[in-house]
Amino acid sequence: FEHRPYLSEMNAQRMLAEIDAAHRLGVDVFVIDTGWYGKTGDWLPNLERFPQGLQEIRQRLDAYGMKLGLWFNPTVAALTSQVFRQHPEYERTWQGEPGWRGEVWETEESASMCLVSGFAATFVETMVRLNRELGVTYFKWDGISQYGCDSPLHDHGTAENSSAERADCYAYELGRAMIWIVEEVSRRCPDVIVDFDVTEGGRFVGLGFLSVGKYFLIDRKSVV
């Protein structure tokens, strides 16, 4: 926008000013978009952009009686993140090759991870931690593709299944994994709300997820 980096305004000073403005408008949930973290996968505050972590943000929100929300892509992890270094087998692969790898909104290179694997449980722990440490009650999920993994190392087939069978099973089981994550987090943190962005194509859409979360959709034709 205006030829500036996407994250040019992602910093504590700007967010505090936005919170003040949101309070005057009567907003009760303030969601910080992508870039608040240092690394995907670890999901810890970026201390260059937020020198005090997000504690200052939380204090301002608490003073206004507002709640904190954060953006996530639950299917990515930075190549240098702890979870990727410990569990590279959770990476989403296609015919034996790594799936998508790249920068996530101007942050360091990440790998695409499979939620139909043990990676789902690690993300549950991340959400619970952020709820308890920072009071995050609104989780905005983004970027979850329903297709693109045929790994025999995950929970959607083994080497005894064909590549096509594993890929089809992944597409089916992904929704169930998403539902399980929200159910498990909600059991431990009853005040949590999960909102899944389905604006782009190829994303899981079904009544199952609506039983535990919400859908976020932007009509791009009406956005100026």
Side-chain angles (χ1 to χ4, degrees), residues 178-197:
M178 294 168 60
I179 293 166
W180 175 80
I181 290 172
V182 180
E183 287 178 334
E184 183 63 17
V185 172
S186 298
R187 181 182 66 81
R188 297 165 62 180
C189 309
D191 56 343
V192 160
I193 295 174
V194 178
D195 202 348
F196 175 38
D197 189 340

Side-chain angles (χ1 to χ4, degrees), residues 40-187:
T40 62
D42 288 345
W43 301 113
L44 297 171
N46 186 318
L47 296 181
E48 292 184 3
R49 299 180 182 277
F50 299 91
Q52 299 184 37
L54 295 182
Q55 292 298 338
E56 186 179 18
I57 299 295
R58 181 183 184 181
Q59 291 171 4
R60 183 70 59 89
L61 291 171
D62 286 348
Y64 288 143
M66 299 167 67
K67 296 181 179 180
L68 174 62
L70 295 176
W71 177 98
F72 295 85
N73 180 339
T75 64
V76 292
L79 299 183
T80 61
S81 65
Q82 181 177 0
V83 65
F84 186 82
R85 287 185 285 109
Q86 292 180 344
H87 296 286
E89 73 276 11
Y90 292 162
E91 183 173 14
R92 198 169 65 182
T93 62
W94 187 258
Q95 297 183 356
E97 298 295 328
W100 177 89
R101 285 187 177 184
E103 295 181 358
V104 178
W105 295 106
E106 300 170 9
T107 63
E108 70 174 82
E109 185 177 11
S110 297
S112 55
M113 309 295 280
C114 180
L115 284 180
V116 190
S117 73
F119 187 68
T122 68
F123 193 66
V124 166
E125 296 305 320
T126 293
M127 294 177 66
V128 171
R129 170 177 58 81
L130 288 168
N131 173 264
R132 293 175 177 173
E133 291 181 358
L134 293 174
V136 181
T137 57
Y138 185 98
F139 292 82
K140 181 179 182 290
W141 287 4
D142 196 3
I144 305 176
S145 174
Q146 189 172 2
Y147 307 100
C149 186
D150 68 353
S151 172
L153 303 177
H154 304 158
D155 300 326
H156 51 93
T158 68
E160 296 180 359
N161 302 107
S162 68
S163 171
E165 288 174 332
R166 294 194 298 267
D168 288 345
C169 188
Y170 167 78
Y172 176 77
E173 292 291 341
L174 176 66
R176 284 159 46 94
M178 294 168 60
I179 293 166
W180 175 80
I181 290 172
V182 180
E183 287 178 334
E184 183 63 17
V185 172
S186 298
R187 181 182 66 81

